[in-house]
Amino acid sequence: KFGRAPENLQFLVDRSTMLAPPERAPAAPAPRPPASPATASDRGAEASVAAAEEDRRPELMQDEEGRPRIGNVRGMRRTNTLRYMPYPHKAVAPEVGFEKNHPRCRGCGGPARPAILMFGDFTWEDMEPQNERWEDWVEAVRHVVQLGVQDAATGQVRPVRMAVLEVGAGDNVPTVRYSSETCCRIMHSAGADVRLIRVNPELPLGDSMFFEPGGLLEDRLISILGRGLESLRRIDEALQAQANSGSPT
């Protein structure tokens, strides 16, 4: 059963093990026996031990400026949460199931898990409406492509020009790469003047028989051997220069 976690969800992680303990409250340090008068070296050693113990205690995972890291999503309010992830029933408080450090299902009370497909994941349950929305979107775009674009000057219908931009998708889990090539192939078959722009510093070439070197759609693939952010900045600079020059895009 799918459900939305509270937007202010945070949990504790033990930095010595990088595991999340069952309870959210950090364990208090054990009491120490009364100490005899200490020398300066003794006090220095005690300070080092106390610092080491503090490092081992579970803590909210955030950086020095309070920005969220793993284990803390409360830093800045998210403005683009998943729209279709179901909220709990109005009679159920959002915090139900998330009172402790290990979340539990609001329905059955069993251990909750992230809605993310992982390696060797035999308990994964797909969210069919999400896949249906993706397929509906692809079909809507394909329909627009089939209609073409009417040239304002000549009145003739010309192919839709479009690009599928893929940034940093590897081949350990090639789902994104497969989706990009499939989407590009669908739009090309529908009549679009389409290009797949693949930005990858290690694997910029095509994978399938259509996009691999020598493939039928090899010329539809633009391979950029570079890192994501740098490539996006250079693409943006080129588009800005083109727009400022008045050249057609």
Side-chain angles (χ1 to χ4, degrees):
K1 184 176 180 180
F2 290 88
R4 184 186 294 269
E7 293 185 6
N8 63 345
L9 173 65
Q10 54 185 336
F11 57 90
L12 296 170
V13 175
D14 188 330
R15 294 185 65 182
S16 64
T17 63
M18 294 308 294
L19 298 176
E23 299 299 327
R24 187 168 294 175
R32 295 182 179 181
S36 56
T39 63
S41 60
D42 291 335
R43 287 192 293 271
E46 289 181 359
S48 299
V49 171
E53 289 181 352
E54 184 68 23
D55 287 340
R56 287 195 296 269
R57 291 178 63 186
E59 66 172 4
L60 292 174
M61 298 300 286
Q62 60 187 30
D63 62 18
E64 294 79 3
E65 299 180 12
R67 291 173 297 194
R69 289 179 56 191
I70 295 175
N72 180 13
V73 296
R74 196 179 61 174
M76 293 180 62
R77 183 174 179 80
R78 296 185 175 186
T79 57
N80 296 307
T81 55
L82 293 174
R83 290 187 298 164
Y84 298 105
M85 185 64 69
Y87 284 94
H89 190 273
K90 292 181 179 179
V92 180
E95 294 75 20
V96 171
F98 294 86
E99 300 90 344
K100 296 185 177 182
N101 210 36
H102 288 186
R104 306 195 72 81
C105 174
R106 295 186 179 103
C108 68
R113 52 158 291 171
I116 301 172
L117 178 63
M118 294 176 275
F119 292 102
D121 198 343
F122 301 105
T123 61
W124 166 256
E125 293 185 18
D126 206 350
M127 194 172 185
E128 288 301 326
Q130 190 177 51
N131 186 57
E132 291 170 1
R133 287 191 296 272
W134 161 253
E135 292 179 349
D136 289 345
W137 179 84
V138 171
E139 179 58 27
V141 175
R142 191 181 72 86
H143 178 68
V144 172
V145 166
Q146 287 179 322
L147 296 176
V149 177
Q150 187 173 30
D151 191 288
T154 65
Q156 295 181 340
V157 177
R158 58 178 175 81
V160 173
R161 299 181 65 190
M162 63 185 303
V164 178
L165 177 60
E166 177 196 285
V167 181
D171 65 347
N172 287 331
V173 183
T175 307
V176 173
R177 297 172 68 91
Y178 170 79
S179 299
S180 300
E181 294 188 5
T182 300
C183 189
C184 184
R185 185 160 51 88
I186 290 173
M187 299 309 162
H188 177 264
S189 298
D193 180 12
V194 59
R195 298 292 188 280
L196 167 58
I197 304 172
R198 172 164 285 165
V199 181
N200 196 298
E202 298 177 352
L203 301 167
L205 301 179
D207 296 336
S208 70
M209 58 181 293
F210 297 98
F211 292 92
E212 66 183 3
L216 184 64
L217 300 178
E218 179 189 12
D219 63 328
R220 300 283 115 181
L221 174 65
I222 300 175
S223 299
I224 299 180
L225 186 67
R227 303 191 68 82
L229 182 58
E230 176 191 2
S231 299
L232 290 176
R233 285 172 173 166
R234 296 182 68 174
I235 291 173
D236 184 62
E237 290 172 359
L239 290 174
Q240 291 291 339
Q242 189 177 51
N244 294 335
S245 69
S247 301
T249 57

